[in-house]
Amino acid sequence: MRRDIGAEFRALHRPGDPFILANAWDAGSAKLLAGLGAEAIATSSSAHAFTLGRPDMGRISREEALGHAETLVRAVTVPVSGDFENGFVHDPEDIFDTVLLAYEAGLAGISIEDAMLPSPTPYDRDMAVARIRAAVEAARALPRDFVLVARADGVMNGQYDLDEAIARVRAYEAVGADCVYVPHPGDLAAQKRVCDAVSVPVNALAAGPFAGVKRAQFAEIGVARISIGGALARVTQAAILNAGRAMFGRGDFSPLAAAASGAEVDALLSGQAVVTS
């Protein structure tokens, strides 16, 4: 029987016992994260865009996102979820193809946000809900399980307040979303409001001001999964910036002494070791 990767992914979503959804940006980073213990991997629209030399927010095509997703799916055995921005389409009736193609690429699920990318302007609430309803209908028509995550990005994008975000995620739940996500809702109390507002699993983003929040704190307020978005990719970029400034500015190569062990990386890439400490 063919493995139901979507059902495996769904089983990880336990409110109050969150797993870490590790956002990778290429096959190597996906393998390293899986080798370090990640139970699931996700794409990141920002991290993927960076690898193409582009900024975030609607600068990659659906075809590019699908190809990138397939690369990560082939690289690891754990479930992979897709950060599919606004679904790469505007009209609800066009969402079906995005969901079907994501499923065929081997993804266990995708997230769809409510910004009219590349503009941060949100779809009005009725349109946003109609888009999620269409995505849910497409997901339910698939032969195996598929986790559909509905995002309300307006707080992060400075387009609406937390009350509007909560109204949206409640409406997303009502039309069948499997998980909801309000990136950067404000503070931990605001994140708890999101968790308390719905009965479906909630994703929290451990980046920016939330990078200092521990997993146990997310668990205490009822979060079901913790993603890292493009934050880890930006950590690697910070290493490049810092080393590059030292090399090209001062002729100083000392930052390179912090390089990871080649043997350890090779072992993880070869599946020969799992490092948990």
Side-chain angles (χ1 to χ4, degrees), residues 228-239:
I228 57 176
L232 187 57
R234 288 192 294 274
V235 169
T236 66
Q237 290 166 339

Side-chain angles (χ1 to χ4, degrees), residues 126 128-137 140 148 150 168-178:
D126 287 346
V129 173
R131 284 164 39 82
I132 295 304
R133 181 187 293 110
V136 169
E137 290 173 354
R140 299 299 174 263
L148 197 289
R168 288 183 178 228
V169 295
R170 282 175 169 162
Y172 298 159
E173 177 183 14
V175 296
D178 299 306

Side-chain angles (χ1 to χ4, degrees), residues 46-151:
S46 60
H48 179 204
F50 298 157
T51 68
L52 300 174
R54 304 173 198 166
D56 191 18
M57 298 287 286
R59 269 73 177 196
I60 59 176
S61 68
R62 183 167 68 183
E63 290 69 28
E64 288 173 323
L66 288 165
H68 177 63
E70 289 176 342
T71 296
L72 269 58
V73 168
R74 289 193 299 267
V76 296
T77 58
V78 298
V80 178
S81 181
D83 174 358
F84 267 38
E85 299 195 287
N86 67 342
F88 310 104
V89 295
H90 294 295
D91 294 334
E93 56 265 29
D94 295 329
I95 290 282
F96 183 90
D97 286 344
T98 294
V99 173
L100 176 60
L101 291 168
Y103 172 80
E104 291 177 343
L107 291 172
I110 58 172
S111 63
I112 295 180
E113 60 197 66
D114 62 355
M116 293 189 284
L117 298 175
S119 168
T121 303
Y123 299 99
D124 67 56
R125 193 194 302 173
D126 287 346
M127 173 60 86
V129 173
R131 284 164 39 82
I132 295 304
R133 181 187 293 110
V136 169
E137 290 173 354
R140 299 299 174 263
L142 298 171
R144 281 174 294 281
D145 205 354
F146 192 81
V147 178
L148 197 289
V149 182
R151 294 175 48 150

